[in-house]
Amino acid sequence: MKRALIFLALASLSWGSAMAFADDRRDAILADLAAQAVAADPAFTAFSADRGKAFFLATPSSGKPDTPSCTTCHTKDPKAKGQTRAGKEILPMAVSKTPDRFTDAEKVAKWFLRNCSSVLGRECTAAEKGDFITNMAAQ
Amino acid sequence: MSLAIRATTAIAACALAALTLGVSPAEALSLPKVEDPATLKECSTCHMVYQPQLLPQRSWDAMLSHLADHFGENAKLDDAMRIDILSYLLANAADAPDTKGKSGVLRGIAADSVPDRITSLPWWKGRHDEVNLSNLKSTKVKTASNCIGCHTTADKGEYHE
């Protein structure tokens, strides 16, 4: 019993620190985006989960016809799994469901570049990316 | 929806697609599992990793030279990664020395044509001619390009059903 308790305590400790580590990496990505957002617009103050939510749910239709919205592949519920055009499952975007989301800077840059081009027909701004991540981290 | 139910729905869709036309189990296709790390990392995010033995060298060469428009998606890679993946695909393509003649994949492809889709090959069409593919879009399988939607071990190179 005692051993089991110690195991549980250690397991929750390592889970907790893994989460904290993921949060640190996400915070570093957000800090970098915030610096870019200020450089682009000195009036920028902070990222907004509400703006991020509206951005995610919008249907800009200015990119490729097959992908008019983020939700085309990711669904309207960030906590649900999505599906690529080729049929492969996409893990939920919500950080509560997929804790390592937005923790790999290279991966984040790569997928914003690809998907903003597909959905919007242009690159996303640093402010848009920061709002998007802030919203998903709150979900 | 739970994964188990999803999987069951997908299999039911395939079974229905096959049964409506009374398909008999085709002979199995067994290909080497893709183990190349770069190919696995970059070519299995949006779709199942396709085995290089399923297209000729000229197809892979063409595909990797216009990744900015990869079936409507921007799949651009940096050049070092692109060359790394291409060399693996070329060395194991349907007409590579180690592969050639081991399957019917190349059957009926004109020498001067560069097929861009596995599902466009006469061999592929022949193997699926008794399957009703027209209603896949409304099912979880979604598209004929989603091999693993019906062939549940396709990512391991094993196409049995």
Side-chain angles (χ1 to χ4, degrees), chain A residues 80-128:
Chain A
K81 284 177 183 166
Q83 198 180 17
T84 68
R85 286 176 51 226
K88 188 158 176 169
E89 182 178 277
I90 307 173
L91 291 177
M93 299 304 287
V95 168
S96 64
K97 294 283 178 188
T98 313
D100 70 348
R101 279 272 181 232
F102 316 111
T103 57
D104 175 343
E106 200 180 312
K107 187 174 171 184
V108 168
K110 172 173 149 180
W111 288 99
F112 270 127
L113 185 67
R114 285 183 177 179
N115 292 349
C116 293
S117 137
S118 288
V119 173
L120 296 160
R122 61 167 172 81
E123 287 191 31
C124 288
T125 65
E128 286 168 336

mmCIF file of all heavy atoms in Angstrom, chain A residues 80-128:
data_model
loop_
_atom_site.group_PDB
_atom_site.id
_atom_site.type_symbol
_atom_site.label_atom_id
_atom_site.label_comp_id
_atom_site.label_asym_id
_atom_site.label_seq_id
_atom_site.Cartn_x
_atom_site.Cartn_y
_atom_site.Cartn_z
ATOM 1 N N ALA A 80 -12.285 17.968 -30.059
ATOM 2 C CA ALA A 80 -12.591 16.757 -30.841
ATOM 3 C C ALA A 80 -11.452 16.461 -31.810
ATOM 4 O O ALA A 80 -10.668 17.350 -32.153
ATOM 5 C CB ALA A 80 -13.882 16.968 -31.616
ATOM 6 N N LYS A 81 -11.368 15.211 -32.246
ATOM 7 C CA LYS A 81 -10.379 14.857 -33.258
ATOM 8 C C LYS A 81 -10.851 15.352 -34.617
ATOM 9 O O LYS A 81 -12.049 15.375 -34.885
ATOM 10 C CB LYS A 81 -10.216 13.340 -33.302
ATOM 11 C CG LYS A 81 -9.410 12.804 -32.143
ATOM 12 C CD LYS A 81 -9.347 11.300 -32.207
ATOM 13 C CE LYS A 81 -8.592 10.767 -30.997
ATOM 14 N NZ LYS A 81 -8.791 9.328 -30.838
ATOM 15 N N GLY A 82 -9.913 15.721 -35.453
ATOM 16 C CA GLY A 82 -10.246 16.133 -36.806
ATOM 17 C C GLY A 82 -9.819 15.069 -37.801
ATOM 18 O O GLY A 82 -9.443 13.956 -37.416
ATOM 19 N N GLN A 83 -9.892 15.417 -39.073
ATOM 20 C CA GLN A 83 -9.510 14.469 -40.122
ATOM 21 C C GLN A 83 -8.929 15.240 -41.309
ATOM 22 O O GLN A 83 -9.510 16.232 -41.755
ATOM 23 C CB GLN A 83 -10.755 13.685 -40.561
ATOM 24 C CG GLN A 83 -10.417 12.401 -41.299
ATOM 25 C CD GLN A 83 -11.656 11.621 -41.731
ATOM 26 O OE1 GLN A 83 -12.768 12.161 -41.765
ATOM 27 N NE2 GLN A 83 -11.471 10.363 -42.086
ATOM 28 N N THR A 84 -7.777 14.800 -41.818
ATOM 29 C CA THR A 84 -7.179 15.479 -42.964
ATOM 30 C C THR A 84 -7.988 15.173 -44.218
ATOM 31 O O THR A 84 -8.814 14.258 -44.233
ATOM 32 C CB THR A 84 -5.730 15.008 -43.216
ATOM 33 O OG1 THR A 84 -5.763 13.649 -43.664
ATOM 34 C CG2 THR A 84 -4.883 15.119 -41.962
ATOM 35 N N ARG A 85 -7.707 15.904 -45.280
ATOM 36 C CA ARG A 85 -8.394 15.657 -46.555
ATOM 37 C C ARG A 85 -8.109 14.246 -47.037
ATOM 38 O O ARG A 85 -8.892 13.670 -47.773
ATOM 39 C CB ARG A 85 -7.937 16.683 -47.596
ATOM 40 C CG ARG A 85 -8.536 18.067 -47.359
ATOM 41 C CD ARG A 85 -7.972 19.054 -48.348
ATOM 42 N NE ARG A 85 -8.086 18.562 -49.694
ATOM 43 C CZ ARG A 85 -7.109 18.597 -50.600
ATOM 44 N NH1 ARG A 85 -5.953 19.129 -50.307
ATOM 45 N NH2 ARG A 85 -7.291 18.115 -51.803
ATOM 46 N N ALA A 86 -6.963 13.694 -46.643
ATOM 47 C CA ALA A 86 -6.605 12.341 -47.071
ATOM 48 C C ALA A 86 -7.135 11.278 -46.108
ATOM 49 O O ALA A 86 -6.836 10.105 -46.244
ATOM 50 C CB ALA A 86 -5.094 12.219 -47.212
ATOM 51 N N GLY A 87 -7.929 11.710 -45.125
ATOM 52 C CA GLY A 87 -8.601 10.741 -44.267
ATOM 53 C C GLY A 87 -7.892 10.405 -42.968
ATOM 54 O O GLY A 87 -8.407 9.634 -42.170
ATOM 55 N N LYS A 88 -6.700 10.974 -42.741
ATOM 56 C CA LYS A 88 -5.982 10.635 -41.516
ATOM 57 C C LYS A 88 -6.501 11.453 -40.331
ATOM 58 O O LYS A 88 -6.852 12.610 -40.468
ATOM 59 C CB LYS A 88 -4.479 10.862 -41.711
ATOM 60 C CG LYS A 88 -3.695 10.343 -40.525
ATOM 61 C CD LYS A 88 -2.256 10.037 -40.826
ATOM 62 C CE LYS A 88 -1.601 9.628 -39.509
ATOM 63 N NZ LYS A 88 -0.304 9.075 -39.642
ATOM 64 N N GLU A 89 -6.515 10.789 -39.177
ATOM 65 C CA GLU A 89 -7.002 11.438 -37.963
ATOM 66 C C GLU A 89 -6.054 12.560 -37.520
ATOM 67 O O GLU A 89 -4.847 12.429 -37.637
ATOM 68 C CB GLU A 89 -7.064 10.352 -36.892
ATOM 69 C CG GLU A 89 -7.595 10.779 -35.566
ATOM 70 C CD GLU A 89 -7.658 9.592 -34.603
ATOM 71 O OE1 GLU A 89 -8.646 8.853 -34.664
ATOM 72 O OE2 GLU A 89 -6.708 9.403 -33.827
ATOM 73 N N ILE A 90 -6.620 13.669 -37.028
ATOM 74 C CA ILE A 90 -5.809 14.755 -36.453
ATOM 75 C C ILE A 90 -6.161 14.829 -34.972
ATOM 76 O O ILE A 90 -7.340 14.911 -34.621
ATOM 77 C CB ILE A 90 -6.136 16.113 -37.110
ATOM 78 C CG1 ILE A 90 -6.026 16.038 -38.633
ATOM 79 C CG2 ILE A 90 -5.228 17.208 -36.556
ATOM 80 C CD1 ILE A 90 -6.509 17.309 -39.338
ATOM 81 N N LEU A 91 -5.172 14.805 -34.110
ATOM 82 C CA LEU A 91 -5.445 14.883 -32.673
ATOM 83 C C LEU A 91 -6.046 16.249 -32.349
ATOM 84 O O LEU A 91 -5.816 17.224 -33.064
ATOM 85 C CB LEU A 91 -4.152 14.668 -31.880
ATOM 86 C CG LEU A 91 -3.587 13.245 -31.940
ATOM 87 C CD1 LEU A 91 -2.265 13.170 -31.191
ATOM 88 C CD2 LEU A 91 -4.575 12.230 -31.381
ATOM 89 N N PRO A 92 -6.836 16.339 -31.263
ATOM 90 C CA PRO A 92 -7.468 17.620 -30.914
ATOM 91 C C PRO A 92 -6.444 18.753 -30.798
ATOM 92 O O PRO A 92 -5.307 18.541 -30.392
ATOM 93 C CB PRO A 92 -8.103 17.325 -29.552
ATOM 94 C CG PRO A 92 -8.293 15.856 -29.508
ATOM 95 C CD PRO A 92 -7.172 15.270 -30.313
ATOM 96 N N MET A 93 -6.863 19.958 -31.146
ATOM 97 C CA MET A 93 -5.990 21.124 -31.048
ATOM 98 C C MET A 93 -5.960 21.652 -29.614
ATOM 99 O O MET A 93 -5.010 22.319 -29.209
ATOM 100 C CB MET A 93 -6.490 22.247 -31.973
ATOM 101 C CG MET A 93 -6.512 21.878 -33.449
ATOM 102 S SD MET A 93 -4.915 21.322 -34.043
ATOM 103 C CE MET A 93 -4.016 22.865 -34.071
ATOM 104 N N ALA A 94 -7.009 21.389 -28.834
ATOM 105 C CA ALA A 94 -7.087 21.883 -27.457
ATOM 106 C C ALA A 94 -5.959 21.286 -26.621
ATOM 107 O O ALA A 94 -5.737 20.075 -26.635
ATOM 108 C CB ALA A 94 -8.435 21.520 -26.852
ATOM 109 N N VAL A 95 -5.255 22.162 -25.917
ATOM 110 C CA VAL A 95 -4.118 21.721 -25.106
ATOM 111 C C VAL A 95 -4.562 20.779 -23.984
ATOM 112 O O VAL A 95 -3.838 19.858 -23.606
ATOM 113 C CB VAL A 95 -3.353 22.951 -24.561
ATOM 114 C CG1 VAL A 95 -2.363 22.554 -23.483
ATOM 115 C CG2 VAL A 95 -2.645 23.660 -25.715
ATOM 116 N N SER A 96 -5.801 20.949 -23.488
ATOM 117 C CA SER A 96 -6.288 20.051 -22.427
ATOM 118 C C SER A 96 -6.387 18.612 -22.927
ATOM 119 O O SER A 96 -6.268 17.680 -22.152
ATOM 120 C CB SER A 96 -7.649 20.518 -21.921
ATOM 121 O OG SER A 96 -8.608 20.443 -22.958
ATOM 122 N N LYS A 97 -6.585 18.447 -24.229
ATOM 123 C CA LYS A 97 -6.706 17.099 -24.801
ATOM 124 C C LYS A 97 -5.378 16.596 -25.354
ATOM 125 O O LYS A 97 -5.099 15.407 -25.368
ATOM 126 C CB LYS A 97 -7.748 17.093 -25.929
ATOM 127 C CG LYS A 97 -9.147 17.356 -25.465
ATOM 128 C CD LYS A 97 -9.732 16.101 -24.818
ATOM 129 C CE LYS A 97 -11.120 16.366 -24.292
ATOM 130 N NZ LYS A 97 -11.628 15.246 -23.502
ATOM 131 N N THR A 98 -4.574 17.497 -25.901
ATOM 132 C CA THR A 98 -3.283 17.129 -26.497
ATOM 133 C C THR A 98 -2.218 18.030 -25.867
ATOM 134 O O THR A 98 -1.894 19.086 -26.399
ATOM 135 C CB THR A 98 -3.316 17.308 -28.035
ATOM 136 O OG1 THR A 98 -4.504 16.712 -28.550
ATOM 137 C CG2 THR A 98 -2.101 16.659 -28.700
ATOM 138 N N PRO A 99 -1.689 17.614 -24.694
ATOM 139 C CA PRO A 99 -0.842 18.516 -23.894
ATOM 140 C C PRO A 99 0.437 19.005 -24.593
ATOM 141 O O PRO A 99 0.954 20.051 -24.231
ATOM 142 C CB PRO A 99 -0.492 17.669 -22.666
ATOM 143 C CG PRO A 99 -1.571 16.646 -22.589
ATOM 144 C CD PRO A 99 -1.963 16.358 -24.007
ATOM 145 N N ASP A 100 0.931 18.276 -25.599
ATOM 146 C CA ASP A 100 2.173 18.762 -26.217
ATOM 147 C C ASP A 100 1.924 19.669 -27.427
ATOM 148 O O ASP A 100 2.861 20.011 -28.154
ATOM 149 C CB ASP A 100 3.112 17.595 -26.560
ATOM 150 C CG ASP A 100 2.593 16.742 -27.700
ATOM 151 O OD1 ASP A 100 1.403 16.902 -28.083
ATOM 152 O OD2 ASP A 100 3.372 15.909 -28.215
ATOM 153 N N ARG A 101 0.672 20.099 -27.616
ATOM 154 C CA ARG A 101 0.390 21.045 -28.697
ATOM 155 C C ARG A 101 1.151 22.356 -28.472
ATOM 156 O O ARG A 101 1.238 22.845 -27.351
ATOM 157 C CB ARG A 101 -1.106 21.374 -28.756
ATOM 158 C CG ARG A 101 -1.931 20.342 -29.472
ATOM 159 C CD ARG A 101 -1.985 20.620 -30.970
ATOM 160 N NE ARG A 101 -2.803 19.636 -31.651
ATOM 161 C CZ ARG A 101 -2.395 18.931 -32.709
ATOM 162 N NH1 ARG A 101 -1.177 19.085 -33.200
ATOM 163 N NH2 ARG A 101 -3.208 18.088 -33.289
ATOM 164 N N PHE A 102 1.686 22.921 -29.559
ATOM 165 C CA PHE A 102 2.365 24.230 -29.546
ATOM 166 C C PHE A 102 3.555 24.249 -28.586
ATOM 167 O O PHE A 102 3.788 25.226 -27.885
ATOM 168 C CB PHE A 102 1.375 25.353 -29.174
ATOM 169 C CG PHE A 102 0.052 25.243 -29.885
ATOM 170 C CD1 PHE A 102 -1.109 24.912 -29.202
ATOM 171 C CD2 PHE A 102 -0.033 25.445 -31.263
ATOM 172 C CE1 PHE A 102 -2.318 24.785 -29.856
ATOM 173 C CE2 PHE A 102 -1.243 25.320 -31.925
ATOM 174 C CZ PHE A 102 -2.388 24.988 -31.217
ATOM 175 N N THR A 103 4.317 23.157 -28.559
ATOM 176 C CA THR A 103 5.503 23.131 -27.706
ATOM 177 C C THR A 103 6.779 22.934 -28.521
ATOM 178 O O THR A 103 7.867 23.015 -27.988
ATOM 179 C CB THR A 103 5.409 21.993 -26.661
ATOM 180 O OG1 THR A 103 5.234 20.754 -27.343
ATOM 181 C CG2 THR A 103 4.245 22.212 -25.714
ATOM 182 N N ASP A 104 6.627 22.648 -29.819
ATOM 183 C CA ASP A 104 7.783 22.438 -30.697
ATOM 184 C C ASP A 104 7.781 23.595 -31.707
ATOM 185 O O ASP A 104 6.950 23.636 -32.619
ATOM 186 C CB ASP A 104 7.619 21.072 -31.386
ATOM 187 C CG ASP A 104 8.714 20.791 -32.414
ATOM 188 O OD1 ASP A 104 9.408 21.744 -32.837
ATOM 189 O OD2 ASP A 104 8.857 19.623 -32.803
ATOM 190 N N ALA A 105 8.701 24.544 -31.492
ATOM 191 C CA ALA A 105 8.685 25.789 -32.278
ATOM 192 C C ALA A 105 8.765 25.514 -33.787
ATOM 193 O O ALA A 105 8.084 26.162 -34.587
ATOM 194 C CB ALA A 105 9.839 26.683 -31.839
ATOM 195 N N GLU A 106 9.579 24.534 -34.144
ATOM 196 C CA GLU A 106 9.758 24.225 -35.566
ATOM 197 C C GLU A 106 8.441 23.714 -36.173
ATOM 198 O O GLU A 106 8.040 24.113 -37.266
ATOM 199 C CB GLU A 106 10.842 23.152 -35.699
ATOM 200 C CG GLU A 106 11.481 23.070 -37.062
ATOM 201 C CD GLU A 106 12.537 21.973 -37.080
ATOM 202 O OE1 GLU A 106 13.367 21.931 -36.143
ATOM 203 O OE2 GLU A 106 12.511 21.146 -37.998
ATOM 204 N N LYS A 107 7.792 22.832 -35.426
ATOM 205 C CA LYS A 107 6.527 22.259 -35.893
ATOM 206 C C LYS A 107 5.442 23.335 -35.988
ATOM 207 O O LYS A 107 4.684 23.387 -36.960
ATOM 208 C CB LYS A 107 6.100 21.150 -34.915
ATOM 209 C CG LYS A 107 4.901 20.361 -35.345
ATOM 210 C CD LYS A 107 4.648 19.205 -34.380
ATOM 211 C CE LYS A 107 3.316 18.529 -34.686
ATOM 212 N NZ LYS A 107 3.003 17.473 -33.724
ATOM 213 N N VAL A 108 5.409 24.210 -34.992
ATOM 214 C CA VAL A 108 4.417 25.292 -34.987
ATOM 215 C C VAL A 108 4.611 26.191 -36.212
ATOM 216 O O VAL A 108 3.658 26.510 -36.929
ATOM 217 C CB VAL A 108 4.532 26.123 -33.675
ATOM 218 C CG1 VAL A 108 3.730 27.402 -33.769
ATOM 219 C CG2 VAL A 108 4.067 25.284 -32.482
ATOM 220 N N ALA A 109 5.871 26.557 -36.485
ATOM 221 C CA ALA A 109 6.155 27.432 -37.622
ATOM 222 C C ALA A 109 5.757 26.742 -38.931
ATOM 223 O O ALA A 109 5.146 27.342 -39.819
ATOM 224 C CB ALA A 109 7.636 27.799 -37.638
ATOM 225 N N LYS A 110 6.104 25.472 -39.032
ATOM 226 C CA LYS A 110 5.828 24.720 -40.263
ATOM 227 C C LYS A 110 4.333 24.638 -40.557
ATOM 228 O O LYS A 110 3.902 24.883 -41.679
ATOM 229 C CB LYS A 110 6.413 23.314 -40.108
ATOM 230 C CG LYS A 110 6.069 22.339 -41.209
ATOM 231 C CD LYS A 110 6.870 21.067 -40.993
ATOM 232 C CE LYS A 110 6.137 19.855 -41.479
ATOM 233 N NZ LYS A 110 6.938 18.639 -41.245
ATOM 234 N N TRP A 111 3.540 24.334 -39.534
ATOM 235 C CA TRP A 111 2.107 24.119 -39.789
ATOM 236 C C TRP A 111 1.336 25.419 -39.928
ATOM 237 O O TRP A 111 0.367 25.474 -40.693
ATOM 238 C CB TRP A 111 1.501 23.159 -38.762
ATOM 239 C CG TRP A 111 2.013 21.783 -39.071
ATOM 240 C CD1 TRP A 111 3.036 21.136 -38.454
ATOM 241 C CD2 TRP A 111 1.589 20.941 -40.160
ATOM 242 N NE1 TRP A 111 3.268 19.924 -39.087
ATOM 243 C CE2 TRP A 111 2.398 19.786 -40.124
ATOM 244 C CE3 TRP A 111 0.613 21.062 -41.146
ATOM 245 C CZ2 TRP A 111 2.249 18.752 -41.053
ATOM 246 C CZ3 TRP A 111 0.463 20.035 -42.068
ATOM 247 C CH2 TRP A 111 1.271 18.901 -42.015
ATOM 248 N N PHE A 112 1.753 26.491 -39.240
ATOM 249 C CA PHE A 112 1.103 27.777 -39.506
ATOM 250 C C PHE A 112 1.401 28.195 -40.949
ATOM 251 O O PHE A 112 0.514 28.664 -41.656
ATOM 252 C CB PHE A 112 1.581 28.865 -38.534
ATOM 253 C CG PHE A 112 0.760 28.960 -37.274
ATOM 254 C CD1 PHE A 112 1.363 28.901 -36.024
ATOM 255 C CD2 PHE A 112 -0.621 29.126 -37.330
ATOM 256 C CE1 PHE A 112 0.609 28.995 -34.859
ATOM 257 C CE2 PHE A 112 -1.386 29.219 -36.171
ATOM 258 C CZ PHE A 112 -0.763 29.152 -34.928
ATOM 259 N N LEU A 113 2.630 27.996 -41.381
ATOM 260 C CA LEU A 113 2.991 28.401 -42.741
ATOM 261 C C LEU A 113 2.136 27.655 -43.765
ATOM 262 O O LEU A 113 1.550 28.248 -44.670
ATOM 263 C CB LEU A 113 4.484 28.134 -42.983
ATOM 264 C CG LEU A 113 5.028 28.621 -44.324
ATOM 265 C CD1 LEU A 113 5.000 30.147 -44.382
ATOM 266 C CD2 LEU A 113 6.444 28.124 -44.560
ATOM 267 N N ARG A 114 2.039 26.344 -43.610
ATOM 268 C CA ARG A 114 1.273 25.541 -44.567
ATOM 269 C C ARG A 114 -0.223 25.841 -44.501
ATOM 270 O O ARG A 114 -0.886 26.035 -45.504
ATOM 271 C CB ARG A 114 1.465 24.056 -44.261
ATOM 272 C CG ARG A 114 2.812 23.538 -44.696
ATOM 273 C CD ARG A 114 2.895 22.065 -44.415
ATOM 274 N NE ARG A 114 4.155 21.534 -44.898
ATOM 275 C CZ ARG A 114 4.519 20.272 -44.765
ATOM 276 N NH1 ARG A 114 3.711 19.420 -44.157
ATOM 277 N NH2 ARG A 114 5.662 19.846 -45.232
ATOM 278 N N ASN A 115 -0.756 25.814 -43.274
ATOM 279 C CA ASN A 115 -2.212 25.884 -43.154
ATOM 280 C C ASN A 115 -2.762 27.290 -43.338
ATOM 281 O O ASN A 115 -3.880 27.449 -43.824
ATOM 282 C CB ASN A 115 -2.659 25.280 -41.814
ATOM 283 C CG ASN A 115 -2.411 23.777 -41.778
ATOM 284 O OD1 ASN A 115 -2.104 23.178 -42.798
ATOM 285 N ND2 ASN A 115 -2.552 23.180 -40.619
ATOM 286 N N CYS A 116 -2.006 28.328 -42.981
ATOM 287 C CA CYS A 116 -2.470 29.690 -43.244
ATOM 288 C C CYS A 116 -2.513 29.902 -44.753
ATOM 289 O O CYS A 116 -3.442 30.506 -45.286
ATOM 290 C CB CYS A 116 -1.559 30.727 -42.572
ATOM 291 S SG CYS A 116 -1.660 30.654 -40.768
ATOM 292 N N SER A 117 -1.516 29.348 -45.445
ATOM 293 C CA SER A 117 -1.502 29.456 -46.894
ATOM 294 C C SER A 117 -2.694 28.714 -47.494
ATOM 295 O O SER A 117 -3.363 29.207 -48.401
ATOM 296 C CB SER A 117 -0.157 28.951 -47.413
ATOM 297 O OG SER A 117 -0.316 28.157 -48.542
ATOM 298 N N SER A 118 -3.033 27.539 -46.959
ATOM 299 C CA SER A 118 -4.163 26.768 -47.488
ATOM 300 C C SER A 118 -5.503 27.446 -47.207
ATOM 301 O O SER A 118 -6.375 27.475 -48.061
ATOM 302 C CB SER A 118 -4.207 25.373 -46.853
ATOM 303 O OG SER A 118 -3.163 24.593 -47.345
ATOM 304 N N VAL A 119 -5.664 27.957 -45.987
ATOM 305 C CA VAL A 119 -6.980 28.469 -45.577
ATOM 306 C C VAL A 119 -7.151 29.951 -45.923
ATOM 307 O O VAL A 119 -8.214 30.376 -46.367
ATOM 308 C CB VAL A 119 -7.200 28.238 -44.061
ATOM 309 C CG1 VAL A 119 -8.488 28.903 -43.578
ATOM 310 C CG2 VAL A 119 -7.237 26.744 -43.764
ATOM 311 N N LEU A 120 -6.085 30.745 -45.712
ATOM 312 C CA LEU A 120 -6.200 32.190 -45.899
ATOM 313 C C LEU A 120 -5.586 32.684 -47.207
ATOM 314 O O LEU A 120 -5.845 33.803 -47.626
ATOM 315 C CB LEU A 120 -5.515 32.926 -44.736
ATOM 316 C CG LEU A 120 -6.132 32.721 -43.358
ATOM 317 C CD1 LEU A 120 -5.139 33.061 -42.270
ATOM 318 C CD2 LEU A 120 -7.382 33.570 -43.209
ATOM 319 N N GLY A 121 -4.736 31.855 -47.799
ATOM 320 C CA GLY A 121 -4.062 32.282 -49.017
ATOM 321 C C GLY A 121 -2.933 33.265 -48.729
ATOM 322 O O GLY A 121 -2.480 33.992 -49.610
ATOM 323 N N ARG A 122 -2.492 33.324 -47.480
ATOM 324 C CA ARG A 122 -1.377 34.200 -47.090
ATOM 325 C C ARG A 122 -0.785 33.656 -45.797
ATOM 326 O O ARG A 122 -1.367 32.750 -45.176
ATOM 327 C CB ARG A 122 -1.873 35.639 -46.857
ATOM 328 C CG ARG A 122 -2.902 35.747 -45.731
ATOM 329 C CD ARG A 122 -3.128 37.183 -45.305
ATOM 330 N NE ARG A 122 -4.225 37.340 -44.365
ATOM 331 C CZ ARG A 122 -4.143 37.123 -43.054
ATOM 332 N NH1 ARG A 122 -3.002 36.727 -42.499
ATOM 333 N NH2 ARG A 122 -5.188 37.295 -42.262
ATOM 334 N N GLU A 123 0.349 34.227 -45.381
ATOM 335 C CA GLU A 123 0.899 33.836 -44.082
ATOM 336 C C GLU A 123 0.080 34.489 -42.975
ATOM 337 O O GLU A 123 -0.516 35.543 -43.175
ATOM 338 C CB GLU A 123 2.360 34.286 -43.973
ATOM 339 C CG GLU A 123 3.287 33.435 -44.841
ATOM 340 C CD GLU A 123 4.763 33.706 -44.541
ATOM 341 O OE1 GLU A 123 5.083 34.045 -43.376
ATOM 342 O OE2 GLU A 123 5.572 33.589 -45.473
ATOM 343 N N CYS A 124 0.037 33.870 -41.808
ATOM 344 C CA CYS A 124 -0.643 34.490 -40.672
ATOM 345 C C CYS A 124 0.303 35.490 -40.016
ATOM 346 O O CYS A 124 1.528 35.328 -40.060
ATOM 347 C CB CYS A 124 -1.034 33.434 -39.643
ATOM 348 S SG CYS A 124 -2.389 32.389 -40.194
ATOM 349 N N THR A 125 -0.254 36.502 -39.382
ATOM 350 C CA THR A 125 0.576 37.458 -38.641
ATOM 351 C C THR A 125 0.939 36.839 -37.285
ATOM 352 O O THR A 125 0.290 35.896 -36.828
ATOM 353 C CB THR A 125 -0.195 38.772 -38.390
ATOM 354 O OG1 THR A 125 -1.307 38.477 -37.523
ATOM 355 C CG2 THR A 125 -0.720 39.373 -39.689
ATOM 356 N N ALA A 126 1.945 37.425 -36.657
ATOM 357 C CA ALA A 126 2.348 36.946 -35.323
ATOM 358 C C ALA A 126 1.193 37.096 -34.341
ATOM 359 O O ALA A 126 0.969 36.237 -33.488
ATOM 360 C CB ALA A 126 3.570 37.725 -34.843
ATOM 361 N N ALA A 127 0.413 38.179 -34.479
ATOM 362 C CA ALA A 127 -0.724 38.404 -33.575
ATOM 363 C C ALA A 127 -1.769 37.302 -33.755
ATOM 364 O O ALA A 127 -2.310 36.775 -32.777
ATOM 365 C CB ALA A 127 -1.339 39.781 -33.839
ATOM 366 N N GLU A 128 -2.045 36.936 -35.007
ATOM 367 C CA GLU A 128 -3.025 35.867 -35.262
ATOM 368 C C GLU A 128 -2.552 34.536 -34.676
ATOM 369 O O GLU A 128 -3.322 33.795 -34.059
ATOM 370 C CB GLU A 128 -3.262 35.720 -36.774
ATOM 371 C CG GLU A 128 -4.094 36.849 -37.367
ATOM 372 C CD GLU A 128 -4.085 36.880 -38.891
ATOM 373 O OE1 GLU A 128 -3.114 36.345 -39.512
ATOM 374 O OE2 GLU A 128 -5.018 37.448 -39.474
#
